[in-house]
Amino acid sequence: MNFEPNRAGRFPRNEIISLLEVNRRYNLAESTSQDLTFGELVALAGGLSALENLNLGYGSSAGSPRLRAGIAGLTGVDAQDVITMPGAAHGLFLLGMELCGPGDEAAIASPCFSPSRDALAGTGVTLRECRLAFDDGYRLTAQALAPHLNSRTRLVSLATPQNPSGVRTPLHELQAIAEMVRRLAPQAYLFIDETYREATYGEEPTPESAARLGPNVVTGASVSKAYGAPGLRIGWLTVPDVGLRERLTIAKMNSVISCSPLDETLAAIVIENRDQVLQPRRKLLAGGRDMVKTWVASRSDRLEWVEPDGGALCCLRLRPSVFDREGVRQFWAALPDAELQLGDGAWFGESSSVFRLGFGYLPPERLSAALAALSTVLDKLARP
Ligand SMILES: Cc1ncc(COP(=O)(O)O)c(C=O)c1O
């Protein structure tokens, strides 16, 4: 057999994969709320005995009726419109596999969660990136997206709130985008990634899902971020178009057969007890966001930021007037010794002078110590 260990694979390598291997003391690279524990989940279920008779046969390819009903309640669609997925990530992967191939085009808003781009790249589709700018607060409009659409477009992909910036696109703008896609790219579906939708701050209301914006709109989300349960690997797609739903259910059958019935049951329990799970995490998110806001204001000599609308993350930029190329390199090189971890803008299709800072994952005392450690790094590196 002829092994070619260095041959490039179907998907581009992205250093975001290191997030799954490295977990430093001051981990500001994570994008989730605080992890839910199995013990908390069992307590929500009413004790382990509630799970004892769970049958561990295969589930169904569309997903468990109980979980699909829970997701329908969150998104406002019929339960039959929902397909469960092993994470929103698998949903966006299958959507790309099913809709895109060589000769087709896909339009994506970037910077973005890297698999949203790289999973599509693996299909051979021609990618057209609508690049959003830090200086414009990463605002996405129908007008900015329009030049990237045409009759060859098969998929338009965006996230709200965005990863890495936490910037939200309001429902009326999403509606305008959905209508524009119908007009300019009639063969395309619009994928709206709502993975951070429920990660709101404190008592702020949860924005309505985009799941009912029309037959060409598919949404995706999961219990990974707002609920702090990425290890369950349970997400979903809402797919009102019957034909596409059938294709995606078959694609799921051919890739994973079904989700794990245990994971689906646990995810259903999370969703059925959503207020209890979300409330403390939203309070922590609000506190984390406020702490970062105050800290950024105190470090405006070195940094600027785009204030997030939702999610457990935000984008900060090393001031170009203070950090030249070499300064940016030194900044990244200094982080490991300070036990710090941040998301590199380059992972998301941004410049490395921008970094993603997650404020939902660390407990408040650790977040405060992490920001102090980051201040020390900034002070050592550059003199304004
Ligand atoms: C915007 C976005 N979509 C999807 C995902 C995938 O999440 P999961 O597969 O855990 O549901 C992520 C994870 O970071 C994300 O940020």
Short mmCIF file of all heavy atoms in Angstrom, two decimals, residues 16 31 86-90 92 113 116 159 161-163 193 195-196 221-225 230 233-235 313 356, ligand 1:
data_model
loop_
_atom_site.label_atom_id
_atom_site.label_comp_id
_atom_site.label_asym_id
_atom_site.label_seq_id
_atom_site.Cartn_x
_atom_site.Cartn_y
_atom_site.Cartn_z
N ILE A 16 -7.93 25.59 14.77
CA ILE A 16 -9.00 25.57 15.78
C ILE A 16 -9.09 24.17 16.41
O ILE A 16 -9.57 24.02 17.54
CB ILE A 16 -10.35 26.00 15.16
CG1 ILE A 16 -11.33 26.44 16.27
CG2 ILE A 16 -10.96 24.92 14.29
CD1 ILE A 16 -12.60 27.11 15.77
N SER A 31 -15.88 28.69 23.61
CA SER A 31 -17.00 29.47 23.07
C SER A 31 -18.34 29.10 23.71
O SER A 31 -19.38 29.53 23.25
CB SER A 31 -17.10 29.22 21.56
OG SER A 31 -17.35 27.83 21.33
N PRO A 86 -26.01 14.82 15.23
CA PRO A 86 -24.95 14.76 16.24
C PRO A 86 -24.17 16.08 16.26
O PRO A 86 -23.06 16.18 15.74
CB PRO A 86 -24.07 13.59 15.79
CG PRO A 86 -24.54 13.16 14.47
CD PRO A 86 -25.75 13.95 14.07
N GLY A 87 -24.78 17.11 16.81
CA GLY A 87 -24.21 18.46 16.82
C GLY A 87 -24.68 19.24 15.61
O GLY A 87 -24.94 18.68 14.54
N ALA A 88 -24.79 20.57 15.80
CA ALA A 88 -25.11 21.44 14.65
C ALA A 88 -24.05 21.27 13.58
O ALA A 88 -24.32 21.40 12.38
CB ALA A 88 -25.18 22.90 15.11
N ALA A 89 -22.81 20.94 14.01
CA ALA A 89 -21.70 20.78 13.06
C ALA A 89 -22.03 19.70 12.01
O ALA A 89 -21.74 19.88 10.83
CB ALA A 89 -20.42 20.41 13.80
N HIS A 90 -22.63 18.60 12.44
CA HIS A 90 -22.95 17.55 11.46
C HIS A 90 -24.09 18.01 10.56
O HIS A 90 -24.12 17.66 9.37
CB HIS A 90 -23.31 16.24 12.16
CG HIS A 90 -23.22 15.06 11.24
ND1 HIS A 90 -22.03 14.59 10.73
CD2 HIS A 90 -24.18 14.26 10.70
CE1 HIS A 90 -22.26 13.56 9.93
NE2 HIS A 90 -23.56 13.33 9.89
N LEU A 92 -24.57 21.09 9.48
CA LEU A 92 -24.06 21.96 8.41
C LEU A 92 -23.19 21.17 7.44
O LEU A 92 -23.14 21.46 6.24
CB LEU A 92 -23.38 23.22 8.95
CG LEU A 92 -22.17 23.17 9.85
CD1 LEU A 92 -20.91 23.19 9.03
CD2 LEU A 92 -22.20 24.37 10.79
N PHE A 113 -17.36 30.54 12.03
CA PHE A 113 -16.96 29.26 12.63
C PHE A 113 -16.32 28.44 11.51
O PHE A 113 -16.97 28.22 10.47
CB PHE A 113 -18.23 28.60 13.17
CG PHE A 113 -18.07 27.21 13.69
CD1 PHE A 113 -17.15 26.92 14.69
CD2 PHE A 113 -18.88 26.18 13.21
CE1 PHE A 113 -17.03 25.63 15.18
CE2 PHE A 113 -18.76 24.89 13.70
CZ PHE A 113 -17.83 24.62 14.68
N SER A 116 -17.95 25.93 9.13
CA SER A 116 -18.99 26.46 8.23
C SER A 116 -18.40 26.75 6.86
O SER A 116 -19.09 26.67 5.84
CB SER A 116 -19.59 27.76 8.76
OG SER A 116 -19.97 27.63 10.08
N ALA A 159 -24.45 32.99 10.27
CA ALA A 159 -24.77 32.66 11.67
C ALA A 159 -25.22 33.92 12.39
O ALA A 159 -24.71 35.00 12.14
CB ALA A 159 -23.56 32.08 12.38
N PRO A 161 -26.41 34.81 16.58
CA PRO A 161 -25.21 35.63 16.61
C PRO A 161 -24.03 34.90 15.94
O PRO A 161 -23.98 33.69 15.92
CB PRO A 161 -24.91 35.80 18.11
CG PRO A 161 -26.19 35.53 18.81
CD PRO A 161 -26.92 34.55 17.96
N GLN A 162 -23.12 35.74 15.42
CA GLN A 162 -21.98 35.18 14.72
C GLN A 162 -20.95 34.61 15.69
O GLN A 162 -20.79 35.11 16.80
CB GLN A 162 -21.26 36.28 13.91
CG GLN A 162 -22.05 36.89 12.81
CD GLN A 162 -21.41 38.19 12.31
OE1 GLN A 162 -20.20 38.38 12.36
NE2 GLN A 162 -22.24 39.10 11.84
N ASN A 163 -20.25 33.61 15.24
CA ASN A 163 -19.02 33.18 15.85
C ASN A 163 -17.93 33.60 14.86
O ASN A 163 -18.01 33.19 13.69
CB ASN A 163 -19.03 31.65 16.02
CG ASN A 163 -17.74 31.11 16.61
OD1 ASN A 163 -16.84 31.88 16.92
ND2 ASN A 163 -17.65 29.81 16.76
N ASP A 193 -27.55 29.75 10.99
CA ASP A 193 -27.00 29.01 12.12
C ASP A 193 -27.33 29.79 13.40
O ASP A 193 -26.81 30.87 13.63
CB ASP A 193 -25.49 28.89 11.91
CG ASP A 193 -24.82 28.03 12.96
OD1 ASP A 193 -25.34 27.95 14.09
OD2 ASP A 193 -23.77 27.44 12.64
N THR A 195 -26.92 28.67 16.54
CA THR A 195 -26.33 27.93 17.66
C THR A 195 -26.22 28.79 18.94
O THR A 195 -26.28 28.25 20.04
CB THR A 195 -24.97 27.35 17.21
OG1 THR A 195 -25.21 26.48 16.11
CG2 THR A 195 -24.31 26.55 18.30
N TYR A 196 -26.05 30.11 18.78
CA TYR A 196 -25.94 30.98 19.97
C TYR A 196 -27.22 31.76 20.29
O TYR A 196 -27.20 32.63 21.15
CB TYR A 196 -24.79 31.99 19.77
CG TYR A 196 -23.44 31.35 19.84
CD1 TYR A 196 -22.76 30.98 18.69
CD2 TYR A 196 -22.83 31.09 21.06
CE1 TYR A 196 -21.53 30.37 18.74
CE2 TYR A 196 -21.60 30.49 21.14
CZ TYR A 196 -20.96 30.13 19.97
OH TYR A 196 -19.73 29.52 20.04
N ALA A 221 -29.10 24.49 15.17
CA ALA A 221 -28.66 24.88 16.51
C ALA A 221 -28.40 23.61 17.31
O ALA A 221 -28.45 22.49 16.75
CB ALA A 221 -29.70 25.76 17.21
N SER A 222 -28.13 23.77 18.61
CA SER A 222 -27.78 22.59 19.42
C SER A 222 -27.88 22.93 20.90
O SER A 222 -28.15 24.08 21.26
CB SER A 222 -26.35 22.15 19.09
OG SER A 222 -25.41 23.10 19.58
N VAL A 223 -27.61 21.92 21.72
CA VAL A 223 -27.56 22.18 23.17
C VAL A 223 -26.13 22.51 23.61
O VAL A 223 -25.83 22.53 24.80
CB VAL A 223 -28.10 20.98 24.00
CG1 VAL A 223 -29.58 20.77 23.76
CG2 VAL A 223 -27.32 19.69 23.71
N SER A 224 -25.25 22.81 22.65
CA SER A 224 -23.82 22.96 22.99
C SER A 224 -23.48 24.27 23.69
O SER A 224 -22.64 24.28 24.58
CB SER A 224 -22.98 22.86 21.72
OG SER A 224 -23.07 21.58 21.15
N LYS A 225 -24.07 25.37 23.29
CA LYS A 225 -23.54 26.67 23.73
C LYS A 225 -24.30 27.24 24.92
O LYS A 225 -23.78 27.28 26.02
CB LYS A 225 -23.56 27.65 22.55
CG LYS A 225 -22.88 27.13 21.30
CD LYS A 225 -21.41 26.86 21.50
CE LYS A 225 -20.77 26.37 20.20
NZ LYS A 225 -19.36 26.05 20.34
N PRO A 230 -22.00 20.64 25.14
CA PRO A 230 -21.47 20.22 23.83
C PRO A 230 -21.10 18.74 23.79
O PRO A 230 -21.09 18.12 22.73
CB PRO A 230 -20.23 21.10 23.63
CG PRO A 230 -19.82 21.52 25.00
CD PRO A 230 -21.09 21.62 25.79
N ARG A 233 -23.28 16.08 22.14
CA ARG A 233 -23.25 16.02 20.68
C ARG A 233 -24.68 15.90 20.12
O ARG A 233 -24.97 15.00 19.32
CB ARG A 233 -22.36 14.87 20.16
CG ARG A 233 -20.93 14.87 20.63
CD ARG A 233 -20.19 16.20 20.44
NE ARG A 233 -20.20 16.70 19.08
CZ ARG A 233 -20.58 17.95 18.77
NH1 ARG A 233 -20.98 18.82 19.70
NH2 ARG A 233 -20.54 18.36 17.53
N ILE A 234 -25.54 16.77 20.55
CA ILE A 234 -26.90 16.79 20.00
C ILE A 234 -27.23 18.20 19.48
O ILE A 234 -27.15 19.18 20.22
CB ILE A 234 -27.95 16.34 21.04
CG1 ILE A 234 -27.80 14.85 21.35
CG2 ILE A 234 -29.37 16.64 20.53
CD1 ILE A 234 -28.14 13.89 20.22
N GLY A 235 -27.57 18.23 18.22
CA GLY A 235 -28.03 19.46 17.58
C GLY A 235 -29.19 19.11 16.66
O GLY A 235 -29.73 18.01 16.73
N LEU A 313 -19.03 34.95 23.53
CA LEU A 313 -17.76 35.32 22.90
C LEU A 313 -17.82 36.71 22.30
O LEU A 313 -18.89 37.30 22.13
CB LEU A 313 -17.42 34.30 21.80
CG LEU A 313 -18.60 33.69 21.02
CD1 LEU A 313 -19.30 34.71 20.17
CD2 LEU A 313 -18.16 32.52 20.21
N ARG A 356 -10.56 36.10 19.37
CA ARG A 356 -11.86 35.79 19.98
C ARG A 356 -11.63 35.52 21.45
O ARG A 356 -10.76 34.73 21.81
CB ARG A 356 -12.48 34.56 19.33
CG ARG A 356 -13.86 34.23 19.89
CD ARG A 356 -14.44 32.97 19.30
NE ARG A 356 -13.92 31.78 19.93
CZ ARG A 356 -14.23 30.53 19.58
NH1 ARG A 356 -15.06 30.33 18.58
NH2 ARG A 356 -13.71 29.49 20.20
C1 LIG B 1 -21.80 29.07 14.79
C2 LIG B 1 -21.56 27.64 15.18
N1 LIG B 1 -22.27 26.68 14.57
C3 LIG B 1 -22.12 25.38 14.89
C4 LIG B 1 -21.21 24.99 15.85
C5 LIG B 1 -21.08 23.53 16.15
O1 LIG B 1 -21.60 23.24 17.38
P1 LIG B 1 -22.12 21.80 17.79
O2 LIG B 1 -21.73 20.83 16.72
O3 LIG B 1 -21.43 21.51 19.08
O4 LIG B 1 -23.59 21.93 17.93
C6 LIG B 1 -20.44 25.95 16.50
C7 LIG B 1 -19.44 25.57 17.51
O5 LIG B 1 -18.57 26.32 17.88
C8 LIG B 1 -20.63 27.31 16.16
O6 LIG B 1 -19.94 28.29 16.74
#
